[in-house]
């Protein structure tokens, strides 16, 4: 008796999408028509593709560490899909107005490669100082040629674009020759009120800042983050290869509640010959509540208004105990709520906000639901919730990733280089941190302000080169490498927050003294590093010691 089995092979389709006014709709349509088991490659031309809000896809999506102006206009969407590749073939995607260029949600085994994302008229306004009258406190400046602006009836310098307008409130100053943040400037108040326009294209403002020499370029902005460049949410096995984001009105890439993300040759970089000094409005890459492996290799991150990478979870604050196993918890930061936090079966732990000590034993989520409005979360646990005097945070340990951050260049940006807050293995190697302006690497953890989890347990920082960090002061800017959890009552802490940190075989090329600051660490190794002293800038940092340790044990600083 012969048995013949018929096996249907999955279809493999390649579809080319030409430039036009409905590219986003076409891509969404062909993805929706694909069978789940089939593979689909959407190929773009090596050409310019323009996207406008009125032609975009409208989506409601809550995004970690961003403003929540729902619904939002989206350019390209991969949703509830598997085995989809978008091959840009060198395509230049140009966006207008206020849009999220790309989202990938509830999808698995998807790839985006070989394309760039930019905006025709960025929401950051670049200006150049023409004259600085320090006697009278007047600065004259010229907006860059692409900046659309007007002097309003109340004499404000207002910039605008398709569907948006604002008056910038702050700025970052860059050297015109090098593109570096100007020494000892950090965040600068912007002279955009009570201005005049004595001639077309020249703005005169009451603005007293001796550091802003003629020729200095400034990126003027607000603090808003409405639309990141690329959003990954509730995904698995996502790969972005040779993708460049030149500008986003938020983070260039934000991933949340996703598993296994690979960035290969990902760039957040200044567009060649654009004359710009800036890229994203906030972090280059940001990973919130992810798990599996985050791999970022061969990237270039420059000119952004915040960090190159930030990996963390979100502490919920325990608001009310409903019974011994049920609680009402809440998202606490105004830019972090509404997105999925966990699911039944996840492991959690409780932490005292004042001391960042762990409370009781780990627990398991039995059920979880989010209340209307996206800020309150009702959770039922398998075991009783521990008692504690004072504020308590809840951390989801299941959604914590391993990280490999290697062979990247981070340069000429605001604030910090790389932030890691995960208990799983973190490897930082073969990177160049070049004039990050603030701390190059920060290991943090905060259950009081940002509410970003959590403790690091296994971090290796090796074979990196650090060049002239600490040219300006920002939050957590204590040393080139700063291990700085927020602990309001450090004197009452019983345990340690971070542990298992190894820093070796690196080169520190610095004009100033502080190399390492550490707080609440059990197990810290700093050895076999090369320390070079240069005279590129005058030393200024208030910390005059190479190493400053607060409540640190089991330390090896040698060679």
């Amino acid at each position: 008796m012969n048995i013949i089995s018929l096996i249907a092979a999955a279809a493999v389709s390649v579809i080319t999408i030409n430039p036009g006014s409905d590219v986003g709709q076409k891509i969404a349509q062909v993805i929706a028509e694909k069978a789940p088991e089939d593979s689909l490659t959407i190929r773009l031309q090596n050409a310019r593709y323009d996207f406008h809000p009125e032609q975009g896809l409208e989506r409601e999506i809550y995004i970690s560490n961003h403003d929540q102006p729902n619904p939002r206009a989206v350019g390209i969407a991969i949703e509830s899909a598997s085995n989809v590749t978008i091959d840009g073939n060198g395509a230049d995607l140009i966006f207008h107005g206020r849009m999220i260029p790309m989202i990938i949600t509830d999808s698995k085994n998807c790839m985006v490669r070989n394309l760039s994302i930019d905006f025709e008229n960025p929401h950051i306004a670049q200006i150049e100082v023409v004259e600085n009258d320090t006697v009278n406190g007047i600065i004259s400046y010229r907006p860059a040629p692409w900046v659309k602006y007007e002097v309003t009836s109340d004499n404000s310098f207002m910039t605008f674009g398709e569907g948006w307008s604002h008056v910038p409130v702050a700025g970052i100053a860059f050297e015109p020759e090098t593109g570096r943040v100007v020494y000892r400037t950090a965040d600068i108040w912007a002279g955009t009120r009570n201005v005049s326009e004595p001639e077309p294209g020249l703005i005169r403002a009451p603005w007293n800042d001796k550091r802003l020499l003629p020729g200095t370029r400034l990126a003027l902005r607000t603090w808003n983050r409405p639309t990141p460049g690329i959003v990954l949410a509730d995904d698995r096995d996502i790969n972005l290869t040779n993708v460049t984001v030149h500008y986003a009105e938020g983070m260039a890439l934000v991933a949340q509640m996703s598993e296994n993300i690979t960035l290969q040759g990902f760039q957040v970089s200044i567009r060649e010959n654009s004359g710009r000094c800036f890229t994203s409005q906030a972090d280059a890459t940001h990973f919130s509540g992810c798990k599996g492996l985050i791999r970022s290799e061969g990237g270039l991150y420059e000119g952004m208004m915040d960090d190159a990478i930030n990996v963390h979870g979100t502490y919920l604050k325990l608001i009310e105990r409903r019974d011994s196993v049920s609680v009402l918890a809440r998202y606490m930061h105004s830019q972090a709520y509404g997105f999925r936090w966990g699911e039944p079966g996840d492991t959690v732990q409780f932490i005292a906000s004042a001391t960042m000590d762990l409370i009781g034993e780990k627990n398991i989520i039995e059920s979880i639901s989010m209340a209307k409005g996206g800020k309150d979360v009702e959770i039922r646990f398998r075991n009783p919730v521990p008692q504690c005097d004072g504020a308590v945070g809840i951390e989801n340990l299941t959604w914590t990733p391993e990280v490999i951050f290697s062979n990247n260049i981070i340069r000429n940006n605001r604030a910090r280089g790389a932030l890691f807050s995960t208990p799983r293995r973190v490897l930082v190697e073969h990177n160049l941190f070049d004039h990050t302006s603030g701390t190059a690497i920060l290991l943090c953890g905060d259950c009081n302000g940002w509410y970003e989890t959590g403790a690091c347990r296994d971090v290796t920082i090796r074979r990196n080169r650090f060049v002239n960090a600490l040219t300006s002061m920002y939050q957590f800017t204590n040393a080139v490498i700063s291990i700085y959890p927020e602990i309001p009552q450090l004197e009452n802490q019983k345990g340690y927050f971070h542990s298992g940190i190894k820093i070796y075989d690196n080169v520190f090329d610095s004009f100033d003294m502080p190399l390492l600051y550490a707080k609440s660490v059990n197990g810290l190794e700093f050895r076999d590093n090369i320390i070079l002293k240069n005279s590129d800038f005058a030393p200024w940092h208030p910390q005059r010691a190479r190493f400053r340790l607060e409540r640190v044990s089991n330390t090896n600083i040698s060679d």
Side-chain angles (χ1 to χ4, degrees), residues 134-151:
T134 58
V135 175
N136 297 300
I138 301 292
I139 290 179
S140 299
Y141 58 84
R142 291 191 185 277
W146 66 83
V147 175
K148 296 181 180 181
Y149 75 93
E150 66 177 59
V151 177

Side-chain angles (χ1 to χ4, degrees), residues 62-112:
Y62 289 85
I63 303 170
S64 181
N65 293 74
H66 280 76
D67 305 319
Q68 312 296 355
N70 280 304
R72 315 175 199 234
V74 173
I76 295 174
I78 301 175
E79 301 168 293
S80 302
S82 59
N83 308 317
V84 172
T85 295
I86 295 181
D87 189 343
N89 193 33
D92 197 10
L93 311 186
I94 304 297
F95 293 83
H96 302 258
R98 179 164 282 155
M99 302 184 70
I100 300 177
M102 181 179 295
I103 64 172
I104 304 175
T105 60
D106 193 28
S107 297
K108 62 182 180 180
N109 193 32
C110 293
M111 170 182 277
V112 179

Side-chain angles (χ1 to χ4, degrees), residues 21-42:
S21 61
D22 57 351
V23 169
Q25 289 89 343
K26 286 181 178 178
I27 291 175
Q29 181 180 350
V30 298
I31 292 174
E33 294 174 350
K34 182 187 79 70
E37 67 275 8
D38 292 348
S39 294
L40 170 66
T41 296
I42 298 171

Side-chain angles (χ1 to χ4, degrees), residues 125-133 138-144 147 149-151 155-159 167-169 189-207 212-218 220:
Q126 184 170 310
I127 64 169
E128 181 174 332
V129 176
V130 175
E131 181 182 3
N132 189 344
D133 181 353
I138 301 292
I139 290 179
S140 299
Y141 58 84
R142 291 191 185 277
V147 175
Y149 75 93
E150 66 177 59
V151 177
N155 299 318
S156 295
F157 175 71
M158 183 184 75
T159 62
V167 176
V169 296
W189 169 79
T192 55
R193 301 287 185 179
N194 300 314
V195 306
S196 62
E197 189 172 18
E199 63 181 64
L202 182 68
I203 303 298
R204 183 168 293 160
W207 193 352
L212 305 182
L213 303 178
T216 300
R217 296 175 179 175
L218 287 99
L220 301 185

